[in-house]
Structures are given as structure tokens and as C-alpha cells.
Amino acid sequence: MGSTPTELPCEDVADNRSGVGGGISDVYGEDSATLDQLVTPWVTSVASGYSLMRDPRYNKGLAFTDKERDAHYLTGLLPPVVLSQDVQERKVMHNLRQYTVPLQRYVALMDLQERNERLFYKLLIDNVEELLPVVYTPTVGEACQKYGSIYRKPQGLYISLKEKGKILEVLKNWPQRGIQVIVVTDGERILGLGDLGCQGMGIPVGKLSLYTALGGIRPSACLPITIDVGTNNEKLLNDEFYIGLKQRRATGQEYAEFLHEFMCAVKQNYGEKVLVQFEDFANHNAFDLLSKYSDSHLVFNDDIQGTASVVLAGLIAAQKVLGKKLADHTFLFLGAGEAGTGIAELIALKISKETGAPIAETRKKIWLVDSKGLIVSSRKESLQHFKQPWAHEHEPVKDLIGAVNAIKPTVLIGTSGVGQTFTKEVVEAMATNNEKPLILALSNPTSQAECTAEQAYTWTKGRAIFGSGSPFDPVEYNGKTYLPGQANNCYIFPGLGLGLIMSGAIRVRDDMLLAASEALAAQVTEEHFANGLIYPPFSNIREISANIAACVAAKTYDLGLASNLPRAKDLVKFAESSMYSPVYRNYR
């Protein structure tokens, strides 16, 4: 008679053959391990079943066909209906429009990006004018302020002072290898909101989603990075939900060495042709970083160069309305930081190329006002180095209205980051001195704009040509509808980035920025001018980006800075064919 197998107690069966609370055998011991034991985070190597649905790159939600569901073990894991991507898009847009709070829309969109990448980008491309203010300014500003509270899943790479000496190892932790664009911030000057420390990650994430949606750069080629060197924001330092280092900002040599290690590691890991976009660094660091690395890396500062390029494009376009050349204008800036001096320098360079005059001479057409008043030669010794070229001969003037009355500018540009500084008195003075005053209130977000569109049109009796950094609704005045232009960097950096990548550029030069400005200005039609626009509508932004990319690439080849040879015969078609498409793929 055979022996009878000994029956194990129920608890032993549970411990050895199932996970805690039931289920299949605990093969790797994750469930039965005690809290202090190490477990291996096993994942499958083939995307199927739950792993396929949880991978945002491949997930199609209810758009998986019956055949795909059978082939990839999805049958039963989804409701039986099969929806097209277009129906999914309509459903998501319907749901988004139910939210009355913009931050709720932002969170919902970020959730979609983490769940279904292609649907997210199709949504953004097809509804760009409606969703751009959600994924970027002004809503992204509020998102950064509350990033610690709304943080759910990590997006991008966080490199803190704790990783000093091993930044290259941290970069290698990022799963994608073919990185073409990095947007990096240290969070010290987020929009017009100041030091938000590690919570500034919303900016690189938002910018790179626009590189993909507007410029067609593949999502897998984009890497958002936040450099966490601490924060001087007392509110964040005392916030229990703050996600960054709770210490004062590193400065001086410690900061410089950390950033140098980062830049070297990026080049070592991703090569010569990876584009590094500096974003929302404080003035003193932004200029130093751009100057230090522009000859050794492919670097670009959107606050300095991107803003300059998009504003110059608006000024070039506006000449068709005003009937003047750039050299015939007098420019006055409120704000002498990254954006203000960057725009001023590119305007001076453009005038120099048009007239043949030395740039030192063309700078004299441009005046800047900072917190201490008009920048004049008697202040030169006390000025930061990037302000000194703009210190012209003039008696001191303490405020903006005094500068407007003394200089009598034809163009007034605000980059101060301080809202409501273009007062009624200032705008009316501009209208008194000019038949069609050109007023650009560029500070972001909307709350920090120097004046609103309605104020500009009302105070000038409808004569102003107006542009802003953040969007404003159309304005009704005296029976006429005015469409405010938006001098949004999104016009420039996606196309610029695509042009640099498709040409294999190894350096960024000012001539490329001028080429981008001229390409954007060329997209403005007579119909746009008739509506008061100096920028084309965002609805055909991919076409605009393709044209900008082609012009930037052409200039890169002309300068001998391109490495992708031979040069394509039709650069516009090449740009269009290079763009990422978010349409679902079929799976075998």
C-alpha cells in the first residue's frame, strides 16, 4: 500500500504557493519578503497583457482591435467595444471641457500623457489653440507652484546635489538612449513667479511636450531635467509636501562645478549633437551658462534667444503694417534681464545686417529701463555686464513714464515680470507720440503682463498694434473686434529644434535665430494684418514649424555647422517627413 501524502496546513500552502491574499505562486518572493528584505523588480520583456496597457508608448486603450486583443493577451482585460482614436479624442475633449478650473485640466492632461502617449499628442496637435494655455503658460505656472501637491508620477530626471560626482550614472538611469533634446532648469526663475526650486519640473515637461506636438520631435528623443541645487523660497523650505532638497541654493564655485559636471556628462552620454535648452535660470546664471558652453556644446536659452527671435519676427511682420524699416524705430524696454537684453541684441543685429552699420551704433536705437530707471552711461560702472552695452548718453530718468516722454519710442516692450506696469498714463503717452504705437506686454503668466489687451486697445482708442506673452481673448472696441497677437516662444523653439536636429547642427549661432525670425514673419498674410495680427494663428503651427526648421537647417548648412550630409534637396518636405505622427500603429 502506497504511502499517503502528508497534507500541508492551509497557512503553509498560502505561504508557499500564493501571494499574500491569494493569487499565483509567489515565485520571486516579493509578497512573502519582510520589509527589510531586498526583492528584484522583475518586469516582462514582451509588451502584452497588462504590461502593454500600462506602457504609455504602446497603450491604445479601447482602440485595440479584436485581433490585437487576441494576439496580445488583452481579451477580457478591456470592455468589448472597440473605439477609433478620433472617438477617443472627442471623448477626452468633452471630459476636459467639463472642468472649470484650468489646473484640473492640466492634471487630467498629464494623466493622459502618462497613460496613452499617442492620444495625448493627437489631442494637443488637433486642439492646439485650446490646449496650449493648459500645458504651458499660464496654467503651467500654477502647476509649478503646486507641483508638490499634484505630484503623482515622476516625469523627467531629477539631478540634485546629492548626485554630485555621479551625474553620468544618473543620466544612464534614463531608459531612452537616443536623446536629441534636453530641456533643463534649476527652477530659480520660473516664468514671472520666482524661485520654485525642484517644482520647476513642470516647465521642461511642458516645453518638451510642445517640441513633440508642434515641432514633431519624437517623445522618446526628449528628456526633461531639473537640476536641484536647493531653493531660497522660504515657503517651499517650510512646506511638508515640497519634493526637492530643503536647503538654501548652492552658489558660486559649488554651483559652477555641479553644472559643469552635468554638461560634460550630457555630452559624454548623448554625444555632440544633443540640443541642451536652458530654461528659467536666473539672469546671472543664464548669461554665464550660455556664454560658457555655446562654443563647446549645442546649447540654446529660450528665455534669451527664443524670446528674442519670436519678438523680432513680430517686429519684422509689423513693418508691413507700419510702413517703416526697423532702423526707423526707437525701441524702449521695461525690463533689462535675460529676455529684454536678448531681444534688444537680436534687434540690433538685424538692423546692423540691414543697414551695414556697426552693431555698437545700432544699439543706440534701443533703450532699456530697469528697477532703477533708464539705463544711461552715468550708471555704467554699477551695471551688470549684460546691461552695459545699453548704457547710452542721456540724463538720468527715474521711471518708465519719464523715459517714454524723454525718448519718445515708437515701440514699447515689456519684459519686467511685473504686472500692470504699462499704466494708462504710459500707454496714452505712446498713443500721443505715435499714430500706431506698437506695444508688446510679454511677461508671463497672464497675471504678470504689463497691461492687458483690452487696456492697450482702449487707452489708444483702438490704434495700438498689441502683442503679449500669454494669450488674451479678442477685444471689442467701438464696434470692431481686435485679435491680440501672442508673441509666444512656441512659434520658434519647436521649429528651431527640428531644424538643428535634421541638419545635425553642432552649434547654435545668432544667424540661425535671425533665419527663424524671418521664416516666422513670412508666414503672416495680408488677411492676418487686416485683423491686427502680427503673428500667424497657431492652428497651422506644424506647417509654420516645418518652414522655420527648413530655414534654420539651410542657414546651418550655409555656416558649415551641419553634420547630416548630403543636404536634402527640399528641406521643407524633409522637415515634414521627419515629424512624429501620433496616429496609432497596428500591432502584429
Side-chain angles (χ1 to χ4, degrees):
M1 198 172 165
S3 59
T4 305
T6 306
E7 187 174 86
L8 289 170
C10 291
E11 57 265 29
D12 289 338
V13 174
D15 285 346
N16 289 281
R17 302 181 59 189
S18 69
V20 174
I24 62 168
S25 298
D26 185 19
V27 178
Y28 301 115
E30 285 104 329
D31 291 338
S32 58
T34 59
L35 290 177
D36 58 347
Q37 286 179 303
L38 299 178
V39 298
T40 302
W42 295 97
V43 295
T44 57
S45 58
V46 179
S48 63
Y50 258 69
S51 64
L52 177 56
M53 290 195 300
R54 290 175 175 175
D55 189 328
R57 296 169 299 168
Y58 304 116
N59 180 31
K60 300 198 289 186
L62 293 176
F64 284 111
T65 65
D66 290 336
K67 186 176 179 182
E68 288 171 333
R69 296 181 192 201
D70 284 339
H72 293 278
Y73 307 101
L74 296 170
T75 304
L77 301 181
L78 292 164
V81 71
V82 176
L83 300 180
S84 69
Q85 192 176 21
D86 289 336
V87 172
Q88 287 181 309
E89 182 181 348
R90 290 199 297 274
K91 177 184 175 183
V92 175
M93 285 305 299
H94 171 78
N95 291 340
L96 284 174
R97 288 167 182 150
Q98 307 309 305
Y99 293 118
T100 56
V101 178
L103 187 61
Q104 292 174 329
R105 292 186 182 185
Y106 175 89
V107 171
L109 278 171
M110 291 304 102
D111 283 347
L112 178 63
Q113 186 179 20
E114 287 297 313
R115 189 172 71 248
N116 186 331
E117 188 174 87
R118 288 185 179 274
L119 183 57
F120 169 79
Y121 285 113
K122 190 167 192 306
L123 206 71
L124 192 49
I125 292 167
D126 293 347
N127 304 274
V128 62
E129 290 179 292
E130 183 174 351
L131 296 182
L132 187 61
V134 180
V135 297
Y136 204 60
T137 181
T139 308
V140 75
E142 184 184 1
C144 288
Q145 288 176 309
K146 299 174 180 176
Y147 211 76
S149 298
I150 65 173
Y151 176 85
R152 298 184 183 188
K153 286 184 69 177
Q155 293 177 296
L157 207 55
Y158 295 86
I159 302 176
S160 76
L161 284 172
K162 294 193 293 184
E163 284 77 61
K164 188 173 183 180
K166 53 182 181 180
I167 292 178
L168 181 59
E169 295 175 37
V170 176
L171 289 176
K172 288 180 177 178
N173 288 341
W174 188 252
Q176 305 297 332
R177 293 290 174 258
I179 299 301
Q180 294 176 317
V181 185
I182 291 171
V183 176
V184 59
T185 187
D186 71 352
E188 189 167 4
R189 193 202 61 83
I190 298 297
L191 301 174
L193 303 172
D195 185 352
L196 297 183
C198 193
Q199 297 188 168
M201 180 58 97
I203 299 296
V205 169
K207 275 280 167 81
L208 284 168
S209 68
L210 298 178
Y211 262 110
T212 298
L214 312 186
I217 311 296
R218 289 178 297 106
S220 60
C222 299
L223 174 55
I225 297 179
T226 289
I227 301 285
D228 188 357
V229 294
T231 178
N232 294 335
N233 186 324
E234 290 291 344
K235 186 177 179 182
L236 293 179
L237 290 172
N238 295 317
D239 183 353
E240 66 172 321
F241 300 130
Y242 179 54
I243 60 175
L245 291 179
K246 291 195 175 182
Q247 64 182 61
R248 295 274 172 188
R249 279 189 172 272
T251 58
Q253 186 176 350
E254 183 184 11
Y255 180 88
E257 288 176 354
F258 192 63
L259 266 293
H260 187 66
E261 182 190 347
F262 168 73
M263 293 302 293
C264 292
V266 162
K267 193 170 183 178
Q268 184 177 344
N269 202 45
Y270 299 119
E272 185 87 10
K273 295 184 287 184
V274 63
L275 173 62
V276 179
Q277 178 175 315
F278 298 120
E279 192 69 31
D280 286 353
F281 284 76
N283 289 343
H284 54 284
N285 290 324
F287 287 102
D288 289 347
L289 289 169
L290 190 59
S291 173
K292 183 174 181 178
Y293 294 106
S294 60
D295 288 329
S296 60
H297 292 66
L298 185 67
V299 293
F300 166 69
N301 185 303
D302 192 43
D303 303 302
I304 299 172
Q305 297 165 295
T307 302
S309 187
V310 75
V311 171
L312 178 59
L315 295 174
I316 293 171
Q319 305 324 302
K320 298 174 186 175
V321 178
L322 297 173
K324 287 183 177 182
K325 295 179 180 178
L326 276 180
D328 298 331
H329 285 282
T330 301
F331 303 86
L332 180 63
F333 286 77
L334 177 63
E338 296 170 57
T341 56
I343 298 166
E345 188 66 18
L346 202 62
I347 292 171
L349 180 63
K350 176 66 174 173
I351 295 173
S352 175
K353 287 185 177 292
E354 286 183 345
T355 63
I359 196 165
E361 194 64 31
T362 60
R363 285 179 181 138
K364 293 178 181 177
K365 302 285 294 180
I366 303 166
W367 298 80
L368 277 68
V369 172
D370 65 7
S371 59
K372 294 180 173 60
L374 189 66
I375 293 177
V376 293
S377 53
S378 60
R379 293 179 52 197
K380 195 163 188 176
E381 294 302 316
S382 63
L383 292 172
Q384 293 164 288
H385 66 90
F386 54 85
K387 295 182 182 180
Q388 291 178 359
W390 312 102
H392 309 316
E393 287 292 334
H394 198 283
E395 66 272 11
V397 179
K398 65 178 182 178
D399 54 20
L400 179 61
I401 184 60
V404 170
N405 290 328
I407 304 299
K408 292 186 168 44
T410 55
V411 181
L412 180 64
I413 300 174
T415 62
S416 63
V418 182
Q420 294 300 302
T421 42
F422 288 176
T423 61
K424 184 178 181 183
E425 186 181 11
V426 166
V427 174
E428 286 179 343
M430 285 293 295
T432 299
N433 297 330
N434 303 281
E435 177 60 30
K436 286 184 176 293
L438 184 48
I439 299 172
L440 301 177
L442 302 179
S443 293
N444 291 318
T446 311
S447 59
Q448 306 304 114
E450 284 77 10
C451 69
T452 66
E454 184 176 10
Q455 289 169 336
Y457 292 125
T458 302
W459 294 338
T460 62
K461 295 181 170 57
R463 290 189 282 120
I465 298 173
F466 177 79
S468 59
S470 290
F472 282 101
D473 292 331
V475 175
E476 293 278 343
Y477 179 79
N478 272 1
K480 183 177 178 181
T481 301
Y482 295 86
L483 303 175
Q486 189 183 356
N488 194 316
N489 294 20
C490 298
Y491 279 117
I492 292 292
F493 70 80
L496 175 71
L498 179 60
L500 295 171
I501 289 168
M502 69 190 225
S503 63
I506 55 172
R507 300 290 180 268
V508 177
R509 294 291 177 257
D510 285 341
D511 281 347
M512 300 174 190
L513 301 172
L514 289 177
S517 298
E518 290 158 3
L520 176 57
Q523 302 295 308
V524 187
T525 66
E526 292 298 330
E527 183 184 351
H528 300 146
F529 290 134
N531 289 321
L533 291 171
I534 54 175
Y535 294 100
F538 267 110
S539 53
N540 59 336
I541 185 62
R542 277 206 158 193
E543 180 185 334
I544 294 167
S545 292
N547 280 278
I548 291 173
C551 291
V552 169
K555 183 59 69 175
T556 306
Y557 282 108
D558 293 346
L559 294 172
L561 293 171
S563 64
N564 287 351
L565 301 170
R567 171 176 174 166
K569 290 181 181 178
D570 189 329
L571 287 169
V572 175
K573 283 187 177 177
F574 183 50
E576 290 172 343
S577 67
S578 301
M579 287 182 165
Y580 164 83
S581 169
V583 175
Y584 286 149
R585 302 296 190 268
N586 295 319
Y587 302 141
R588 290 185 238 188

